[in-house]
Amino acid sequence: NILEEEIDDVIFQTNEFLTDATFTGSQGPFWWILQMCMALAALFSLVMAAGMTYKMMVKHEPLDVMKLFRPLAISVVLCWWYPPADTGMANSGNSWCFLDFLSYIPNCIGSYTHDLYEAEATQISDKFAEVQELIYVPDTLYTSLQAQADVAHTGTSDPGLIDVIVGIYKIIMLIALSVFRIGWWATIYCQQILLGMLTIFGPIQWAFSLLPKWEGAWAKWLTRYLTVHFYGAMLYFVGFYVLLLFDI
């Protein structure tokens, strides 16, 4: 459990700061920024729809429902970008939102890989105590060899040599565990930061996709969002194989 509790505290305290009600009301700075982005993006979509309608009327063209459908659909999606019960966009207790729809499959895969990881971790938890005992194998082997043969050289009979070897093994194990844990939690922490940024700025990119030169903005955002969501699933998948290799 090296560094696990400390890094957990950092992640949880960061989330508590972003949702602290003492900053901007009942929902915290994260929700306030998210609501502003959602509202501005939805308003931008409605303005774009109104502009298209005005141009059609000025040119005495029939209203093209398909052209108007896109900005209106985006505005509806942005209103349900996050649960209305959390954002206060509507007087509704519904917890369903557009982001839940997108993250459903990645979350299912992540739950499956997480269960694989936990099952393998449980299987080797009892064996880890036996592995720790291997650290003291050099001491046992040295004592056994010294009992079988009379070693005359003072350098090889130095009891401090055993402590040095065991100490080196402990240092190597400590470095390996530290690198593994730091890499593990750094990936999770970066995933949380990236998901927060994509959640906040996603509505702006969806709204800007209505502009001619930004038509692919929504697709790029969708690709990044799904990719970041799979970080957790891939992390537990790799962790499962690491534990499996350790078990073998």
Side-chain angles (χ1 to χ4, degrees):
N1 295 328
I2 185 171
L3 300 178
E4 188 167 350
E5 295 181 359
E6 288 75 7
I7 301 177
D8 274 344
D9 290 340
V10 173
I11 296 176
F12 292 143
Q13 289 178 7
T14 302
N15 292 333
E16 289 177 0
F17 167 76
L18 293 175
T19 56
D20 193 350
T22 60
F23 288 96
T24 56
S26 60
Q27 295 172 328
F30 178 82
W31 304 118
W32 186 84
I33 296 174
L34 179 61
Q35 289 181 32
M36 293 301 103
C37 291
M38 291 168 55
L40 291 175
L43 180 61
F44 181 82
S45 301
L46 294 176
V47 171
M48 290 293 297
M52 292 179 183
T53 305
Y54 177 75
K55 290 181 180 179
M56 294 178 186
M57 293 176 61
V58 169
K59 295 180 180 180
H60 301 285
E61 296 178 354
L63 293 178
D64 192 343
V65 179
M66 297 306 297
K67 288 184 178 180
L68 297 177
F69 176 77
R70 184 181 177 186
L72 292 177
I74 290 179
S75 63
V76 172
V77 167
L78 296 180
C79 290
W80 289 84
W81 187 258
Y82 223 77
D86 295 333
T87 59
M89 295 293 292
N91 294 326
S92 173
N94 195 343
S95 60
W96 183 89
C97 67
F98 180 71
L99 294 179
D100 288 340
F101 173 76
L102 293 179
S103 61
Y104 178 76
I105 294 179
N107 287 340
C108 290
I109 298 176
S111 299
Y112 177 72
T113 55
H114 177 268
D115 292 341
L116 286 178
Y117 174 82
E118 291 295 334
E120 187 64 25
T122 302
Q123 182 175 349
I124 68 172
S125 60
D126 296 334
K127 296 182 181 180
F128 189 74
E130 300 176 4
V131 174
Q132 285 181 316
E133 295 178 0
L134 296 178
I135 296 177
Y136 302 99
V137 168
D139 190 4
T140 305
L141 292 176
Y142 178 80
T143 304
S144 176
L145 291 175
Q146 191 176 32
Q148 296 176 9
D150 185 16
V151 181
H153 195 279
T154 57
T156 55
S157 61
D158 187 3
L161 181 62
I162 300 175
D163 296 334
V164 172
I165 295 176
V166 174
I168 292 175
Y169 285 167
K170 288 183 179 180
I171 293 174
I172 293 175
M173 179 173 289
L174 176 62
I175 294 175
L177 289 175
S178 301
V179 172
F180 178 76
R181 284 297 182 184
I182 292 174
W184 180 282
W185 290 107
T187 303
I188 295 179
Y189 194 61
C190 290
Q191 182 193 32
Q192 297 297 318
I193 294 176
L194 291 175
L195 283 178
M197 295 175 61
L198 290 170
T199 301
I200 291 176
F201 295 105
I204 303 298
Q205 288 192 270
W206 275 71
F208 280 6
S209 65
L210 296 173
L211 300 175
K213 295 183 178 180
W214 291 69
E215 291 181 352
W218 71 273
K220 293 180 180 179
W221 178 91
L222 185 63
T223 302
R224 294 191 185 100
Y225 185 78
L226 294 178
T227 301
V228 173
H229 243 294
F230 275 108
Y231 281 3
M234 293 300 102
L235 185 66
Y236 282 106
F237 192 69
V238 172
F240 164 74
Y241 276 102
V242 169
L243 293 180
L244 184 61
L245 180 62
F246 181 78
D247 191 7
I248 294 174

